[in-house]
Amino acid sequence: MVDPTNRNDPFWYRTAVFYAVYVRTFADANGDGIGDFRGLTAKLDYLSWFGVDCIWVLPMYPSPLKDGGYDIADYCDILPAYGTLSDFTEFLRESHDRGIRVITDLVINHTSDQHPWFQESRSSPTSPKRDWYVWRDTDTGYSDVRIIFTDSEPSNWTWDDTAKQYFWHRFYRHQPDLNFDNPEVQQAILDVASFWADLGVDGFRVDAAPYLVEREGTTCDNLPETHAVLKRLRAHLDARHPGTILLAEANLWPEQLVDYFGQGDEFQLAYHFPIMPRMYLALHEQNARSLIDMLRRTPDIPPNCQWGVFLRNHDELTLEMVTEAERAAMYEAFAPVPRLRVNVGIRRRLAPLLQGDRRKIELLHGLLLSLPGSPFLYYGDEIGMGDLPFLNDRDAVRTPMQWSPDRNGGFSRAERDRLTLPVIEDPQYGYPHVNVEDQQRQESSLLQALRWLLTVRHRHPLFGLGSLDLVDVDQPAVLAYLRRHDGATALGVFNLSAHSQSIHLDLMPYIGISPVDLVGGAVLDRIDTAPYTLVLAPYGFYWLGLG
Ligand code: NOJ
């Protein structure tokens, strides 16, 4: 159960466990084959039982759904297939009653081309909304800007036959970028944020944060003008909706990422993109080197801020934040065939990426839940769901949640061919074998193991709040670090290799202490003057309490 005492903690997001939900494929209450808010609301007891503190709802707005809802056609309503605004507020109320907070996606860099703003903008050069988007007579501007969806978009400019001009887009051509140089656009976005904050939403994940403003002769990424817009959004929320948090989606190196925290006056949270692929890389290389490098390279952040750490999400496992050699190695190891790749990344879920190996799945969660940052879990990964690489784009990793061995995995009562996306049925990952109901019943299941890790993490605020100190290890396959907060210390030790490891650690400052296995409960041998010896099983890990 979520700790209700957290409710009044203004820094709740620094110790929270986040859980991403794609409403479309989570739970279908009305039996039309598409998930909805009533379905999600009915699953809140499950999320509370599992230990989720905050639900991140992927875009739930009216949308043609050509980009999973990141193509918004109306900022102030709910996609009719997902329910009504009143279903949404009911979901919010029921979440809050359980001590669960809710953040939503604020996709402000672009809209859908179906949005009335764009329709109006394209309709005439004299339209009052013309300047709300970025129009040009030629497609040659901003030529230093990279293309993000490399698989589908040859250019960031697309010709519009109605407007008789080119418009600018950082993502799909059906997602025209808003023009943040226009003060009306900025105001409109502040109004959107207020609309949802007034309904009780606890925060926003700001999609595509680095790309808001364009300037000729630059990469248009991370411009000071973009930071100014984001700071204005934060100031607006602080003034009008205090306590409403902002999370940055910015796929950047740590040195640029920290700018998104500002002086504690921009984002409260930012995903730590570079650490993510290195957790997989370290496993593949059976060597902690790349993780250690990235942890060393991660700067301190303002005290009211926090990293968001994650293993997977609804997108491809992005390989933008690794070197070319590392990228090649990861493609080879985790996505040997082209179908498993999309853009600069891999469209696979956590369990198949790790060959369905329970030990590796638990090890990476042991890491994720003890690294500095708040963990973001992706729906379905807690039961080891698989993927469907034959589906288009990133739908491969967005298939319906597997609730039970019943029809459609308990996701929907609809006929199979009415389902918005197919359920997984294969022998290894299909719902008859991989589902919540069975794993809730089986004490030894992955779901139960991860739930226990969340429970232990909740008992020790140092995992969210503590400092990080790497500890030297005499085996390159083992990573060790100390987390310390408020007089409490935990030692995390992770064996990234397929072999058991006997390691020796210098724990001089802790002489006289008998480490306690926080997960298993055992009390280990006392630390004395000699280097301390620990034996780890293949892919084994420890969270050890040192007082
Ligand atoms: C990032 C989102 O996570 C992704 O799903 C989306 O396609 C792009 N931003 C564009 O909004």
Side-chain angles (χ1 to χ4, degrees), residues 62-78:
S63 160
L65 291 188
K66 287 189 191 167
D67 182 14
Y70 285 91
D71 45 336
I72 295 177
D74 178 354
Y75 280 108
C76 295
D77 209 345
I78 297 290

Side-chain angles (χ1 to χ4, degrees), residues 252-307:
L252 300 168
W253 296 101
E255 299 78 18
Q256 297 153 329
L257 260 174
V258 285
D259 292 346
Y260 286 81
F261 295 117
Q263 307 297 319
D265 58 355
E266 204 168 310
F267 284 91
Q268 282 92 341
L269 288 153
Y271 296 117
H272 197 319
F273 272 97
I275 203 88
M276 181 275 294
R278 285 170 178 76
M279 292 191 250
Y280 297 90
L281 192 62
L283 255 190
H284 167 63
E285 296 181 337
Q286 307 201 37
N287 191 312
R289 170 197 62 84
S290 62
L291 269 173
I292 291 172
D293 288 350
M294 191 45 65
L295 289 170
R296 290 216 170 102
R297 199 174 149 178
T298 301
D300 288 340
I301 58 177
N304 58 340
C305 294
Q306 180 63 299
W307 294 109

Side-chain angles (χ1 to χ4, degrees), residues 62-329:
S63 160
L65 291 188
K66 287 189 191 167
D67 182 14
Y70 285 91
D71 45 336
I72 295 177
D74 178 354
Y75 280 108
C76 295
D77 209 345
I78 297 290
L79 182 80
Y82 293 175
T84 61
L85 261 178
S86 104
D87 291 342
F88 179 79
T89 48
E90 176 69 6
F91 155 70
L92 266 183
R93 201 180 53 74
E94 292 279 342
S95 301
H96 290 162
D97 282 353
R98 289 166 176 77
I100 298 179
R101 290 178 170 86
V102 174
I103 63 169
T104 60
D105 252 288
L106 197 60
V107 189
I108 59 178
N109 175 67
H110 47 268
T111 67
S112 160
D113 58 7
Q114 302 304 306
H115 197 294
W117 295 345
F118 187 72
Q119 296 295 336
E120 223 181 302
S121 181
R122 73 170 12 157
S123 67
S124 145
T126 56
S127 151
K129 294 264 180 335
R130 184 64 157 201
D131 186 50
W132 280 41
Y133 293 84
V134 183
W135 297 101
R136 289 289 182 276
D137 290 328
T138 64
D139 61 356
T140 51
Y142 309 133
S143 56
D144 298 331
V145 177
R146 73 192 170 104
I147 292 168
I148 296 170
F149 286 163
T150 47
D151 280 2
S152 39
E153 295 303 334
S155 166
N156 289 323
W157 291 106
T158 289
W159 174 256
D160 186 64
D161 241 353
T162 313
K164 305 281 181 241
Q165 276 193 309
Y166 293 92
F167 64 89
W168 177 249
H169 55 93
R170 292 302 298 262
F171 296 92
Y172 285 121
R173 71 189 68 179
H174 56 74
Q175 290 166 313
D177 273 33
L178 284 164
N179 175 18
F180 274 87
D181 280 325
N182 184 322
E184 288 174 7
V185 168
Q186 291 200 25
Q187 188 55 50
I189 292 305
L190 298 184
D191 293 345
V192 168
S194 276
F195 176 85
W196 294 101
D198 279 340
L199 288 182
V201 162
D202 299 286
F204 302 103
R205 167 195 183 271
V206 178
D207 184 71
Y211 313 128
L212 303 186
V213 178
E214 295 77 37
R215 286 290 175 271
E216 202 51 75
T218 74
T219 62
C220 295
D221 294 348
N222 316 314
L223 294 177
E225 293 87 341
T226 291
H227 281 290
V229 172
L230 295 167
K231 284 200 165 76
R232 185 171 172 211
L233 173 61
R234 169 67 182 275
H236 171 80
L237 291 174
D238 282 356
R240 298 270 305 277
H241 315 277
T244 308
I245 63 158
L246 287 176
L247 155 69
E249 193 234 359
N251 193 353
L252 300 168
W253 296 101
E255 299 78 18
Q256 297 153 329
L257 260 174
V258 285
D259 292 346
Y260 286 81
F261 295 117
Q263 307 297 319
D265 58 355
E266 204 168 310
F267 284 91
Q268 282 92 341
L269 288 153
Y271 296 117
H272 197 319
F273 272 97
I275 203 88
M276 181 275 294
R278 285 170 178 76
M279 292 191 250
Y280 297 90
L281 192 62
L283 255 190
H284 167 63
E285 296 181 337
Q286 307 201 37
N287 191 312
R289 170 197 62 84
S290 62
L291 269 173
I292 291 172
D293 288 350
M294 191 45 65
L295 289 170
R296 290 216 170 102
R297 199 174 149 178
T298 301
D300 288 340
I301 58 177
N304 58 340
C305 294
Q306 180 63 299
W307 294 109
V309 288
F310 62 101
L311 294 168
R312 287 298 291 114
N313 60 23
H314 63 290
D315 288 329
E316 68 274 27
L317 188 168
T318 164
L319 295 177
E320 289 192 20
M321 291 301 121
V322 292
T323 64
E324 255 173 59
E326 289 170 336
R327 189 173 309 136

